[in-house]
């Protein structure tokens, strides 16, 4: 049992908030119902769409004690609108990364919702603690999607955990129970997992995407520069090679979804293509260690495999 503020988490596993249609109501509710923190990715949604996803997830929860969160990229142009939607819907946590908000901790005061930042350095972790963060998620450069550091989670979690008095959740490289056990041994009190939940029955991406996770080999996850201006880990693919070779095209339809964008290509559009199973044109985000995944399991089976780690 992990307590963050007044919220009790039965199994301290945060499901990664994977944006643009990966971490939606179905997956989040399934993780919450198994005692973890199910997380809906708000980035790429409108405020109304996010509230609908939260309502759908809540309708699937077994009881009111189940913990639900929302992940929002600070880099999203509608960040504060999505924050308002999450607060109005009464989620337990707003998890945010890809930039840092100093104001959000004060903003959520007096509401049911707590704000947890994703950090990649001791300096930022200390700032978050000073500003009132109830916990931090420490994410290394071995995680999937957009990254805030070159260092792996194993390299940065110990120093941060040792120097903070608030709970530290380790993210990046947690694929199997042994990885979670290693993360706890480094001082984390819980873990965040993204890639392992992509290869789950309840995740709503295409079967093509899920199957890629079970087929890739070590070294098949490479680093690219996202149009969001951040490095990102992705499965090697024809379009990922185009990004590396800088032969991508200016997006035809731009909705200014990011505060800053290189506009060398539309990462949102490419993630949608990936989730729909377009092998040629999609960008398939994944953690560096996703090659350890060899089967698609139900969320219940995944959580059952990990629960024994936290009962020791």
């Amino acid at each position: 049992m992990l307590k963050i503020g007044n919220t009790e988490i039965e199994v301290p596993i945060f499901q990664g908030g994977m944006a643009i249609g990966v971490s939606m109501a179905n997956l989040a509710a399934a993780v919450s119902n198994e005692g973890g923190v199910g997380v809906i990715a708000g980035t790429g949604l409108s405020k109304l769409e996010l509230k609908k996803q939260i309502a759908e997830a809540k309708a699937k929860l077994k009881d009111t004690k189940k913990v639900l969160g929302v992940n929002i990229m600070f880099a999203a142009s509608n960040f504060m609108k999505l924050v308002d939607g999450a607060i109005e819907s009464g989620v337990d946590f707003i998890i945010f990364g890809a930039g840092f908000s100093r104001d959000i901790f004060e903003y959520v005061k007096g509401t049911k919702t707590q704000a947890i930042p994703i950090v990649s350095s001791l300096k930022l972790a200390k700032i978050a603690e000073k500003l009132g963060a109830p916990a931090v998620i420490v994410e290394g450069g071995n995680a999937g999607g957009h990254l805030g550091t070159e260092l792996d989670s194993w390299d940065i979690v110990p120093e941060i955990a040792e120097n903070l008095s608030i709970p530290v959740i380790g993210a990046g490289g947690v694929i199997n129970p042994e990885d979670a056990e290693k993360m706890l041994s480094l001082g984390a009190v819980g873990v965040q997992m993204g890639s392992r939940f992509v290869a789950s029955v309840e995740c709503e991406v295409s079967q093509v995407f899920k199957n890629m996770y079970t087929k890739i080999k070590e070294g098949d996850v490479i680093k690219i520069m996202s149009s969001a201006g951040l490095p990102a880990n992705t499965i090697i693919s024809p379009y990922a090679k185009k990004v590396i070779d800088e032969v991508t095209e200016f997006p035809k339809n731009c909705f200014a979804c990011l505060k800053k964008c290189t506009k060398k290509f539309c990462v949102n559009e490419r993630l949608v293509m990936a989730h729909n199973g377009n092998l040629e044109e999609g960008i398939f985000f994944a953690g560096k260690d996703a090659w350890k995944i060899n089967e698609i399991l139900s969320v219940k089976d995944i959580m059952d495999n990990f629960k024994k780690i936290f009962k020791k």
Side-chain angles (χ1 to χ4, degrees):
M1 182 77 73
L2 171 64
K3 195 168 185 181
I4 296 178
N6 293 322
T7 303
E8 291 186 343
I9 302 163
E10 184 185 343
V11 184
I13 292 177
F14 284 66
Q15 164 245 314
M18 299 165 284
I20 324 297
V22 181
S23 303
M24 294 289 104
N26 197 50
L27 175 59
V31 174
S32 294
N33 279 330
E34 291 303 318
V37 181
V39 177
I40 295 166
T43 309
L45 302 179
S46 68
K47 179 180 174 181
L48 181 60
E49 287 168 335
L50 175 59
K51 292 182 81 168
K52 282 182 177 177
Q53 284 291 322
I54 295 168
E56 188 180 322
K58 284 191 167 187
K60 296 180 184 216
L61 297 183
K62 291 175 182 174
D63 59 64
T64 56
K65 291 184 179 179
K66 301 303 178 187
V67 184
L68 192 66
V70 165
N71 180 292
I72 311 166
M73 282 175 61
F74 181 68
S77 54
N78 63 342
F79 176 74
M80 284 312 299
K81 286 183 180 178
L82 294 174
V83 166
D84 283 337
I87 292 171
E88 289 165 16
S89 297
V91 299
D92 298 285
F93 300 120
I94 293 171
I95 297 157
F96 66 97
F100 188 80
S101 170
R102 290 173 173 269
D103 304 323
I104 194 169
F105 307 105
E106 191 67 33
Y107 195 78
V108 298
K109 276 187 179 175
T111 74
K112 180 197 172 185
T113 307
Q114 299 180 81
I116 300 178
I118 297 173
V119 299
S120 299
S121 70
L122 176 59
K123 181 181 178 181
L124 198 56
K126 281 187 166 181
I127 290 170
E129 182 178 39
K130 190 175 180 181
L131 290 170
V136 293
I137 294 172
V138 178
E139 186 175 271
N142 49 340
H146 293 111
L147 307 167
T149 180
E150 293 284 328
L151 299 170
D152 282 355
S153 55
W154 318 117
D155 301 320
I156 57 177
V157 165
E159 181 187 31
I160 295 175
E162 193 177 323
N163 287 282
L164 258 60
S165 58
I166 56 176
V168 168
I169 310 300
V174 182
I175 304 294
N176 55 44
E178 291 73 30
D179 298 326
E181 204 161 25
K182 180 180 177 181
M183 194 64 81
L184 297 182
S185 75
L186 298 177
V189 294
V191 298
Q192 177 175 280
M193 302 192 301
S195 295
R196 177 60 270 193
F197 286 119
V198 173
S200 69
V201 175
E202 290 85 353
C203 185
E204 294 178 72
V205 297
S206 71
Q207 199 64 34
V208 171
F209 197 158
K210 295 180 190 182
N211 289 342
M212 284 183 81
Y213 273 59
T214 65
K215 291 175 182 175
I216 59 172
K217 299 179 181 66
E218 189 171 3
D220 283 349
V221 173
I222 58 172
K223 195 166 288 181
I224 62 169
M225 183 56 68
S226 168
S227 58
L230 295 164
N233 279 333
T234 182
I235 297 171
I236 194 164
S237 67
Y239 198 83
K241 288 178 182 175
K242 283 186 178 182
V243 174
I244 290 170
D245 294 338
E246 297 188 352
V247 292
T248 53
E249 294 179 1
F250 188 90
K252 292 182 177 69
N253 300 304
C254 180
F255 301 102
C257 63
L258 296 170
K259 292 170 185 169
K260 293 180 182 178
C261 182
T262 65
K263 292 187 167 64
K264 289 183 177 180
F265 63 95
C266 177
V267 67
N268 187 326
E269 178 183 70
R270 297 297 160 178
L271 290 172
V272 170
M273 288 179 181
H275 303 159
N276 291 338
N278 188 331
L279 290 169
E280 286 294 316
E281 299 295 329
I283 290 177
F284 299 81
F285 279 174
K288 201 187 290 184
D289 297 300
W291 60 271
K292 292 181 182 179
I293 299 167
N294 54 29
E295 60 183 334
I296 296 164
L297 298 172
S298 69
V299 164
K300 184 182 188 310
D301 285 343
I302 293 169
M303 293 292 286
D304 283 348
N305 288 338
F306 281 83
K307 282 177 181 177
K308 59 181 180 286
I309 299 301
F310 299 100
K311 287 179 180 175
K312 290 181 180 180

